[in-house]
């Protein structure tokens, strides 16, 4: 059974930091590209960051570049999102996504974790 379980969300003040984790099971994690998305109230889900299967390549949305960093530990089947200098506009539910499989069209989503940035 495929599972992606996010954790690490919460309430933080502007300028603060959080580290999100996404623990994967039920598929060959090290073969999958991983990504973080977020969805704010009343807005569409947007891509935040992505990382290659080996972890050697990463990309980040312009809105978070220099503040967020995606990483992964294939030995622990976990992908992370380190978030620093958080802003109120970062408030959203954060989801991890896995993409891969033999034809590259397997897509799995986690249930999301809430991040609220507020004073």
């Amino acid at each position: 059974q495929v599972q992606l379980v996010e954790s690490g969300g919460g309430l933080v003040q502007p300028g603060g930091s959080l580290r999100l984790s996404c623990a994967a099971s039920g598929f060959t994690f090290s073969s999958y590209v991983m990504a973080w998305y977020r969805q704010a109230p009343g807005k569409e889900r947007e891509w935040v960051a992505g990382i290659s299967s080996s972890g050697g390549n990463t990309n980040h949305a312009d809105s978070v570049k220099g503040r967020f960093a995606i990483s992964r530990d294939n030995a622990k089947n976990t992908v992370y999102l380190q978030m620093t200098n958080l802003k109120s506009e970062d408030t959203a539910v954060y989801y991890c996504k896995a993409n891969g499989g033999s034809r590259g069209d397997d897509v799995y989503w986690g249930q999301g974790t809430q991040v609220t940035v507020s004073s």
Side-chain angles (χ1 to χ4, degrees), residues 62-101:
D62 287 344
S63 58
V64 306
K65 202 167 290 184
R67 301 187 298 120
F68 291 11
I70 189 172
S71 63
R72 67 190 295 162
D73 185 338
N74 285 347
K76 295 183 178 180
N77 286 359
T78 302
V79 62
Y80 305 97
L81 185 68
Q82 179 68 51
M83 306 186 294
T84 62
N85 191 19
L86 283 159
K87 305 175 181 180
S88 58
E89 52 262 43
D90 296 318
T91 294
V93 178
Y94 284 72
Y95 300 89
C96 67
K97 174 189 173 185
N99 189 190

Side-chain angles (χ1 to χ4, degrees), residues 2 4 26-34 51-53 72 97-108:
V2 171
L4 291 172
F27 63 98
T28 306
F29 177 78
S30 60
S31 299
Y32 279 62
V33 172
M34 299 299 296
I51 187 166
S52 62
S53 56
R72 67 190 295 162
K97 174 189 173 185
N99 189 190
S102 59
R103 290 179 294 184
D105 57 358
D106 291 345
V107 177
Y108 308 124

